[in-house]
Amino acid sequence: MMITKNVREMGSRRWSRPVALAALTAILSATPVSAQIVNGSFESGDFTGFARSGFIISAGGPSVGGPNFTTFRAAETTGTLTPDSNAVIATQNGGTFDGNGAVGPAMLPTDGGFLAFVSNLTSAGNQSLTGSSLSQTFTVPAGMTSLLFDIAFLNNDDVADFMDFNDFGGIVLTQGTMILAEYNLDLDPGSGAQVHVTPGAARGGFENSTPWTAGSFNVAGLSGQMVTLTAYSLQYGGDNTIESRLLVDNIRLANSTSAPEPSSGALACVALITFGLIFLQRQRGHLSYRKEEPCLG
């Protein structure tokens, strides 16, 4: 019966190796492609990976130009660099820099335990800032087709001032001086911005707001290229008073076939089940050998 034993053990070994290889392949293929954005959900609890910038124009924010990054960039070049008070927080619920506000639901992170805000004032209050931004430069990995993000806009202006003092904020993707894509939020419902605040919709301690909004940019043609993502907020209308605050969270890259990232626990379960099956198959091979071996007594 030695031949039977060898055949059974050989069959078991030949079966287990490809299964083990398949299990390993499945586990590795479930690991998402590394997206070269650092700290996109601000889970470090700070601005790790991002550069910060603030400025003030003593005469106040611009009064010409639409709610877009071109207007912001033009204002920034004429302003004086000033430290901002932007922060990474667990919850946006009050703490306005202009002392105004209203009671409403808190704004919570859309991913993880933190979100970031970009304000057009500092904690010193009115007349302290005209605009600010945070940015990160990264290389788009091969296979990535979309840059995704969550943003919201909060404001304390009176509704009657929305057109003349149309503060705005947004997110832009640039390459050098070229604007590749942008997404803007503001006060004026008649502007060209993608999203406008709802008057009287109190959220996060502010009087007017948008809900969290999911935005995206197409990066399919930018594989291997270096780009810069910038989030910004600006005073508009010739003043430096009344705060507008841009909230940002969950910045990430994805491809058209991206699936939710599996947890480490899920991967461990897959590995455990797979190798459990291999063990059972070997045991079955062993039992088959014992059944076919004749009794020597």
Side-chain angles (χ1 to χ4, degrees):
M1 303 309 299
M2 182 64 69
I3 294 177
T4 303
K5 177 179 179 181
N6 287 343
V7 169
R8 290 293 181 184
E9 290 186 344
M10 186 179 297
S12 175
R13 288 170 185 154
R14 284 180 177 172
W15 184 89
S16 63
R17 287 173 183 170
V19 171
L21 180 59
L24 181 59
T25 301
I27 293 171
L28 291 176
S29 63
T31 304
V33 175
S34 176
Q36 302 302 316
I37 293 179
V38 177
N39 196 29
S41 289
F42 306 98
E43 293 308 292
S44 67
D46 57 24
F47 285 115
T48 296
F50 290 88
R52 297 166 57 179
S53 179
F55 66 93
I56 187 168
I57 301 172
S58 58
S63 297
V64 294
N68 53 51
F69 186 64
T70 297
T71 302
F72 175 88
R73 186 160 54 185
E76 185 178 36
T77 58
T78 62
T80 301
L81 289 177
T82 304
D84 63 68
S85 297
N86 298 332
V88 172
I89 54 178
T91 305
Q92 171 58 54
N93 192 21
T96 62
F97 291 159
D98 59 11
N100 300 316
V103 177
M107 297 289 284
L108 303 176
T110 62
D111 182 65
F114 295 95
L115 61 91
F117 74 75
V118 184
S119 178
N120 59 7
L121 288 180
T122 74
S123 57
N126 289 329
Q127 309 299 335
S128 61
L129 202 67
T130 300
S132 71
S133 65
L134 61 91
S135 61
Q136 183 175 143
T137 298
F138 61 95
T139 299
V140 179
M144 295 295 103
T145 58
S146 299
L147 173 62
L148 310 174
F149 50 85
D150 299 329
I151 52 177
F153 198 56
L154 312 178
N155 168 266
N156 279 328
D157 274 286
D158 293 332
V159 177
D161 293 330
F162 277 12
M163 291 182 64
D164 293 332
F165 299 95
N166 186 30
D167 294 359
F168 65 89
I171 286 186
V172 63
L173 189 68
T174 57
Q175 192 171 54
T177 59
M178 182 184 301
I179 297 174
L180 302 176
E182 61 182 304
Y183 195 101
N184 293 292
L185 307 88
D186 72 349
L187 313 182
D188 182 4
S191 79
Q194 281 80 3
V195 180
H196 319 287
V197 299
T198 299
R203 287 188 182 92
F206 284 76
E207 298 175 15
N208 316 297
S209 70
T210 73
W212 279 112
T213 302
S216 66
F217 297 148
N218 187 337
V219 296
L222 299 172
S223 177
Q225 297 183 42
M226 188 173 294
V227 295
T228 299
L229 178 75
T230 302
Y232 51 91
S233 182
L234 182 70
Q235 294 276 356
Y236 187 88
D239 72 332
N240 287 320
T241 62
I242 308 300
E243 185 182 8
S244 292
R245 186 176 290 192
L246 182 78
L247 306 185
V248 188
D249 199 10
N250 200 20
I251 304 169
R252 72 272 188 206
L253 288 161
N255 59 46
S256 58
T257 59
S258 289
E261 180 179 348
S263 66
S264 57
L267 292 179
C269 286
V270 171
L272 183 61
I273 292 171
T274 301
F275 289 106
L277 291 173
I278 294 172
F279 175 78
L280 288 175
Q281 180 65 16
R282 286 178 173 171
Q283 290 295 100
R284 286 172 184 164
H286 179 65
L287 289 174
S288 297
Y289 155 69
R290 290 179 63 86
K291 287 177 182 178
E292 293 178 22
E293 188 175 32
C295 294
L296 299 179

